[in-house]
């Protein structure tokens, strides 16, 4: 199977006439005259009207962008966007002192953002420890502290929309 290049014209049974505007190893991004931009699989059923040869070593902008995001997430303290659970959006936290002083109100969205920043910075610290030249025993010792920090933060898991974003402490206890 030959991969079509950008500029190839096709006719798709469902979407009609279109032009290939981007190519990945598995998909064509095609702008169709009547249906706009659609992503179709490379091996899907369509008629080739005019084939443009694919550049041999081309990498799509999408693939480069995805790779760059993974690198930045792994090696920097730039945080990914983590969604708050829908039920908490627009809510507030009310801190009520034990003495007869005024309450403090904090928007939950602001509090949640700070919690996710703490988590991201702990992850960066963990990566830096693992990449450091410390003795293995010191790395393990520091890793145990980090695990306990995550465990202390599990209370805030109720704020996360996706369970994959939860804090996870020591599972052996």
């Amino acid at each position: 199977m030959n991969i079509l290049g950008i500029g190839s014209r096709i006719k798709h049974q469902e979407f009609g006439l279109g032009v290939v505007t981007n190519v990945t190893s598995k998909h064509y991004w095609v702008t169709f005259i009547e249906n706009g931009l659609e992503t179709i699989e490379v091996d899907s059923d369509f008629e080739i009207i005019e084939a443009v040869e694919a550049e041999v070593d081309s990498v799509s902008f999408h693939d480069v962008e995805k790779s760059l995001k993974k690198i930045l997430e792994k090696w920097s303290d730039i945080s990914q966007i983590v969604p708050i659970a829908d039920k908490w959006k627009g809510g507030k936290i009310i801190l009520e002192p034990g003495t007869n002083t005024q309450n403090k109100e904090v928007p939950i969205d602001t509090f949640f953002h700070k919690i996710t920043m703490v988590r991201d910075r702990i992850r960066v610290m963990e990566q830096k420890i693992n990449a450091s030249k410390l003795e293995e025993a010191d790395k393990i010792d520091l890793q145990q502290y980090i695990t306990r920090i995550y465990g202390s933060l599990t209370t805030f898991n109720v704020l996360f929309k996706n369970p994959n974003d939860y804090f996870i402490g020591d599972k052996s206890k």
Side-chain angles (χ1 to χ4, degrees), residues 4-173:
L4 295 174
I6 293 173
S8 296
R9 296 181 343 172
I10 67 167
K11 181 176 182 181
H12 191 272
Q13 189 173 3
E14 182 181 348
F15 302 120
L17 296 171
V19 176
V20 175
T21 55
N22 199 354
V23 179
T24 67
S25 59
K26 296 180 184 175
H27 296 95
Y28 293 125
W29 295 9
V30 183
T31 302
F32 291 98
I33 294 171
E34 294 181 12
N35 291 292
L37 183 64
E38 294 288 342
T39 304
I40 63 171
E41 292 186 22
V42 169
D43 60 356
S44 63
D45 190 28
F46 56 84
E47 177 187 342
I48 300 171
I49 296 172
E50 180 184 353
V52 173
E53 193 173 321
E55 294 179 23
V56 178
D57 292 333
S58 68
V59 177
S60 74
F61 176 76
H62 175 73
D63 290 339
V64 171
E65 184 180 36
K66 199 163 78 173
S67 296
L68 183 58
K69 280 182 181 178
K70 282 183 179 178
I71 291 167
L72 288 173
E73 286 173 5
K74 184 173 182 178
W75 297 106
S76 75
D77 64 352
I78 296 173
S79 60
Q80 65 186 43
I81 297 172
V82 178
I84 190 169
D86 293 336
K87 68 181 178 180
W88 301 111
K89 288 180 181 174
K92 60 185 170 186
I93 295 173
I94 301 171
L95 301 172
E96 189 175 306
T99 60
N100 209 5
T101 56
Q102 191 171 357
N103 293 349
K104 171 78 174 172
E105 292 185 7
V106 179
I108 289 181
D109 294 34
T110 301
F111 181 76
F112 180 72
H113 176 68
K114 291 185 183 293
I115 289 293
T116 57
M117 286 179 62
V118 165
R119 184 197 61 185
D120 292 342
R121 289 183 176 139
I122 293 169
R123 286 181 177 169
V124 170
M125 181 174 58
E126 186 174 22
Q127 290 168 353
K128 289 186 178 202
I129 288 168
N130 290 334
S132 74
K133 295 179 182 176
L134 289 171
E135 296 291 325
E136 207 57 37
D138 292 332
K139 287 182 183 182
I140 291 169
D141 190 40
L142 291 170
Q143 192 63 259
Q144 288 174 346
Y145 280 108
I146 289 171
T147 300
R148 286 187 289 242
I149 291 169
Y150 284 141
S152 299
L153 295 170
T154 57
T155 301
F156 302 113
N157 285 345
V158 297
L159 298 172
F160 291 93
K161 184 172 188 167
N162 302 318
N164 291 344
D165 295 321
Y166 285 3
F167 291 104
I168 299 170
D170 186 358
K171 293 180 181 178
S172 67
K173 292 181 182 175

